[in-house]
Amino acid sequence: MFVDIRPDTMNIDEQLIEAAITPKTKAIVPVHYAGVACEMDVIMNIAERYGLFVVEDAAQAMMSTYKGRALGTIGHFGTFSFHETKNYTSGGEGGLLIINDDDFAQRAEIIREKGTNRSQFFRGMVDKYQWVDVGSSYLPSELQAAYLLAQLDAAELINANRRATWQRYHDGLIPLQKANNVSLPRIPPGCEHNAHMFYLKVANLHERTALLSHLKASEVLAVFHYVPLHTSLAGQHFGHFHGEDRFTTSESERLVRLPMYYGLEQMEQDRVIESINEFFCQN
Ligand SMILES: *Cc1c(COP(=O)(O)O)cnc(C)c1O
């Protein structure tokens, strides 16, 4: 079951979750979009009252916090991605599962070991290892781990650089927001974000298409983002939208992501901002 988003953060609207719960509901899965926290106090409170698990999709949220707590560590599970598009990458694919419950940690270890209790064998807890559950091969190679480790060692530096880039976009585009041409992301109080992305929203799909092609003509690669899950083929097959889609579709159609990566040069960034300004001057 999907519920509508909040237009200010593009995150799940925590006020709509409770009404969507049915006897079949097992978990709430908040996605911390752009590395900005969902309203976790409200979500954890609902989960507690209904006996549900919370699985935080923190794929975009490494180094982000909510009221001082690291995202991905608040729910029962937290999932992270080290895909090449994320703030910290293992040189291709990779990820991390954080488990706040020992029972699940044991099972996760078995699933990771291809369904065997091999880890228990190495700890001397069983005299031979065997297949005890479903599983697959989820281990990263040592090269991938080393590639990632160097970035984790430099996590603060990478984060500070991205945050500075994010802030320059924000400051540079504030005049356009004041003139009602664009709307910029909002960071709610209590949330420290990791500058995973910088997006802005324009009036509608038509204007977005025009802006993207204007930027492309000035050699700026700006892109749109996710098609809402409930409108995708799998979403239609496996789930459905609860309540009214007031914001999910319309807000996603307005969204434009700007170039954002560690080490983005200020001069290049100024060109992006200039090109956006140019677009709104002409139109
Ligand atoms: C990237 C991403 C994922 C998928 O991560 P993988 O490492 O490709 O599994 C899931 N959710 C969100 C919100 C993401 O941004």
Side-chain angles (χ1 to χ4, degrees):
M1 197 97 79
F2 304 106
V3 300
D4 210 5
I5 57 158
R6 293 166 46 152
D8 63 341
T9 56
M10 306 297 281
N11 280 337
I12 189 169
D13 185 337
E14 68 281 357
Q15 302 302 331
L16 303 176
I17 295 173
E18 198 161 346
I21 294 172
T22 74
K24 288 169 77 179
T25 305
K26 292 198 170 71
I28 305 171
V29 185
V31 178
H32 303 300
Y33 188 69
V36 178
C38 297
E39 197 41 74
M40 289 307 291
D41 280 349
V42 175
I43 292 172
M44 293 311 292
N45 178 279
I46 296 170
E48 208 167 294
R49 283 190 284 116
Y50 287 85
L52 303 173
F53 293 114
V54 173
V55 183
E56 295 179 72
D57 181 339
Q60 305 182 359
M62 181 149 278
M63 296 294 280
S64 296
T65 59
Y66 172 80
K67 299 184 182 173
R69 300 168 70 187
L71 296 188
T73 67
I74 302 168
H76 303 85
F77 299 92
T79 62
F80 291 87
S81 171
F82 301 126
H83 184 260
E84 63 180 34
T85 54
K86 303 305 196 287
N87 291 26
Y88 306 93
T89 91
S90 50
E93 305 282 350
L96 164 71
L97 172 65
I98 287 183
I99 303 173
N100 265 339
D101 182 322
D102 273 348
D103 291 345
F104 288 112
Q106 273 180 35
R107 182 153 190 233
E109 188 181 74
I110 287 168
I111 292 171
R112 185 182 64 169
E113 281 285 18
K114 305 158 185 75
T116 72
N117 57 358
R118 191 162 167 263
S119 298
Q120 290 170 19
F121 174 68
F122 284 136
R123 286 198 295 270
M125 294 161 70
V126 290
D127 62 356
K128 58 183 179 306
Y129 74 83
Q130 57 179 316
W131 279 263
V132 294
D133 203 342
V134 294
S136 190
S137 193
Y138 296 108
L139 304 167
S141 73
E142 299 212 336
L143 269 179
Q144 283 179 302
Y147 191 96
L148 176 64
L149 181 61
Q151 287 164 68
L152 297 183
D153 282 341
E156 296 285 352
L157 180 83
I158 292 169
N159 201 47
N161 180 280
R162 296 185 76 108
R163 287 279 305 236
T165 300
W166 192 98
Q167 197 59 46
R168 277 203 303 271
Y169 272 137
H170 191 265
D171 297 346
L173 294 166
I174 274 282
L176 283 179
Q177 175 163 266
K178 290 204 173 114
N180 280 326
N181 285 312
V182 302
S183 83
L184 301 181
R186 180 174 163 266
I187 311 297
C191 297
E192 282 285 334
H193 71 106
N194 62 354
H196 173 65
M197 73 174 86
F198 193 94
Y199 65 82
L200 51 84
K201 289 187 276 181
V202 297
N204 51 41
L205 181 59
H206 177 73
E207 189 172 69
R208 179 176 75 178
T209 308
L211 175 59
L212 289 180
S213 65
H214 170 85
L215 289 171
K216 194 173 174 196
S218 358
E219 298 185 319
V220 173
L221 182 65
V223 285
F224 55 85
H225 211 191
Y226 302 129
V227 173
L229 274 180
H230 70 286
T231 63
S232 70
L233 280 176
Q236 288 175 36
H237 184 69
F238 294 117
H240 73 268
F241 199 92
H242 182 268
E244 189 193 344
D245 174 4
R246 287 180 64 206
F247 298 113
T248 305
T249 299
S250 58
E251 294 297 300
S252 75
E253 287 175 351
R254 300 170 56 202
L255 190 140
V256 174
R257 289 183 294 149
L258 303 181
M260 163 61 89
Y261 49 87
Y262 172 80
L264 177 58
E265 301 277 347
Q266 193 163 342
M267 255 174 57
E268 293 187 309
Q269 204 183 356
D270 289 343
R271 263 189 54 208
V272 177
I273 296 168
E274 204 180 290
S275 180
I276 297 169
N277 273 311
E278 224 173 70
F279 174 82
F280 286 104
C281 284
Q282 291 164 4
N283 283 264

